[in-house]
Amino acid sequence: MQKNGPFALAFHTLIVLFVLAPLIVVCLVAFTPQNTLSLPWDGLSLRWFAAVFHHPDFVASFWNSARLALFSATISTMLAVPSALAITRYSFRGRDALNALFLSPLIIPHLVIGVAFLRLFSFIGATGSFGWLVAAHVMVIMPYALRLILAALNGMDLSAEMAARTLGAGEWTVFRRITFPMLLPGISGGWLLAFINSFDELTMSIFVTAPSTVTLPVRMYMYASESIDPMMAAVSTLMIALTGVTMIILDRLFGLDQLLVGKG
Amino acid sequence: MGFLQLEQVSKLYGEFAAVRDFDLEIERGEFISLLGPSGCGKTTTLQMIAGLVTPTNGRITLDGRDITREKPARRGLGVVFQSYALFPHMTVAQNVAFGLEMRKVAKAERDRQVAEILSLVKLTSLADRYPREMSGGQRQRVAIARALVIKPPVLLLDEPLSNLDAKLREEMQFELRRIQRVVGITTIMVTHDQAEALSISDRVVVMEGGKITQVDHPYSLYEHPKNNFISSFVGKSNFLAARAMNEATGVSLRVDNTDLKIPATGSYPGGELCLSVRPEKIRLTDPAGAMLHGPVSSRYFLGNHWLLSVSTPAGEISVAVANLGAPPPSEGDITGLTWNIEECRVLAAEQESALQS
């Protein structure tokens, strides 16, 4: 690999610093012993982390978000696997349209989707229902799972399935014993990506959550619009840590480049 | 009636015929090669026998049973794919055991048969490895073991050696034949490599443009190719434009300015003909009294032989000279060429022009 010159190295360092600076500042502020948002010049304190764990709304919202992300990521992955198989393996009328439809939530602003769901939910009387919240999340996070599974399917050698067939395996056995295990890295990567996206989703969730189903990002948004204190920084730090750990696991298991860029 | 029989088998993709009117009878225990350039329909033929492609027309019977429309899982043939198609998430032993598992063979019996076949392909020590931890040649052996362990009536090999480097390919070629002999299994191999086909098959089926052009034993195929395509595809050949002097009996041919008496092996068609001579059948002689002569235009040393190109009035002629110690004439030297009349083939000239177009 080619080495960077001193100028390029300085440039890259600046870019990386620029991207990371806000996160670093938030993480530092979280450790302040003061009552205001300030850098911890005079000693470190975990009091704001403690405050988060003693704030029942935040704890409840965290579990809401976790439960929501777990359900919606699992359901969207279960929908994405057969969809991806249909799109890559079969040619039928409207295949491209279907593919575009499945991926469209990526390009439609979440604000628009949120308003649309708000109208729909109040129309069918689903406001405040956890099930319908899951459905809304499934719609916006499925494209992430689908994209990864599509990439995995496109890179897969079909002859392994043919070989299994010649060895006496029926269609279902081929899927269960060969296709699914070979796709597993793509599927689990898709699941994790969907999970993170659901856990982080704010714009749409603002419109469709009810007091009993408020997610963590929505709770933070509500809290921050009333008052700003270092507890927000502590929550943010926890979320950054959680996402970071997930990303490291993803990278160790499958390689992030391969998951996010696809095998081409 | 052959053990495996293909009758008038065709595969059409719209207007395009990938395989047309394929007729072949294969005896039990035979090793058959389907040889041809890419796109000649050899792989499609193999896939139709395996059941991975459904023929448009025709009939395939195995041991008297019509299998034309049977699913691959029910045919029970052993297939080795070009990419080996090993299951990457299973160990060697699990890969090999897969077919037995599908046949609901009990665990103990399965283990015994897997061990037996792995020892046949000399992989016993690697049973617990994953395919990604193995070399190309080893993966190839796993693929063969996996196909053979179900005791299929026929083994189908799709370009089995094309992913191996030259040295390994030669080794595996004879290894393949050894295994085939030990098991005594009827085998069909698809290849585009004529050396491979000639060295290990009982019979070679040459295909071109979806059709069979010749079916023969390797030696007769090489010595008596039916047309220019075969003589240039199977080995190398020099083609000389010729004319029959006596059209009725066809015993005398005019090549360039020389008359060649050719033993009558049948009547030759009148008009333009073509003479095919293999490079290794030509001898270098004194220019005086030689059939053709001219300067050596290029000379390559290939280890066990030299490859010379000689510019003669009849065109550039390739000559292979065995390396017997003394180097042949160098570039620019005038040399004479001669060969035994019985060792050249007479073919109709149209075939060549059709091939070149």
Side-chain angles (χ1 to χ4, degrees), chain B residues 16 141 254:
Chain B
F16 173 73
R141 289 161 193 265
R254 190 169 178 77

Side-chain angles (χ1 to χ4, degrees), chain A residues 55-119:
Chain A
H55 200 296
D57 284 351
F58 271 97
V59 176
S61 291
F62 171 81
W63 288 116
N64 266 342
S65 274
R67 215 152 55 97
L68 175 64
L70 191 73
F71 277 107
S72 49
T74 307
I75 293 172
S76 58
T77 308
M78 280 162 60
L79 291 175
V81 171
S83 311
L85 278 170
I87 288 166
T88 47
R89 297 290 171 80
Y90 301 93
S91 72
F92 49 90
R93 269 169 67 102
R95 183 179 64 171
D96 293 342
L98 192 70
N99 192 14
L101 182 75
F102 281 144
L103 296 176
S104 64
L106 282 180
I107 43 170
I108 300 175
H110 284 195
L111 187 72
V112 175
I113 300 176
V115 173
F117 270 122
L118 178 67
R119 291 290 304 140

Side-chain angles (χ1 to χ4, degrees), chain B residues 162-173:
Chain B
S162 62
N163 285 334
L164 304 176
D165 59 61
K167 180 110 175 88
L168 199 57
R169 186 163 21 189
E170 201 168 295
E171 259 174 56
M172 270 315 285
Q173 193 170 304

Side-chain angles (χ1 to χ4, degrees), chain A residues 157 159-160 162-169 173 177-178 181-182, chain B residues 52 73 77 79 81 83 85 87-90 99 101-103 146:
Chain A
D157 180 12
S159 59
M162 285 203 257
R165 256 175 234 130
T166 63
L167 289 168
T173 312
R177 297 286 309 275
I178 311 297
M182 282 176 78
Chain B
L52 299 166
L77 307 184
V79 187
F81 292 83
S83 62
F87 309 137
H89 54 289
M90 297 186 196
E101 242 180 282
M102 294 299 116
R103 281 162 178 69
R146 189 179 66 178

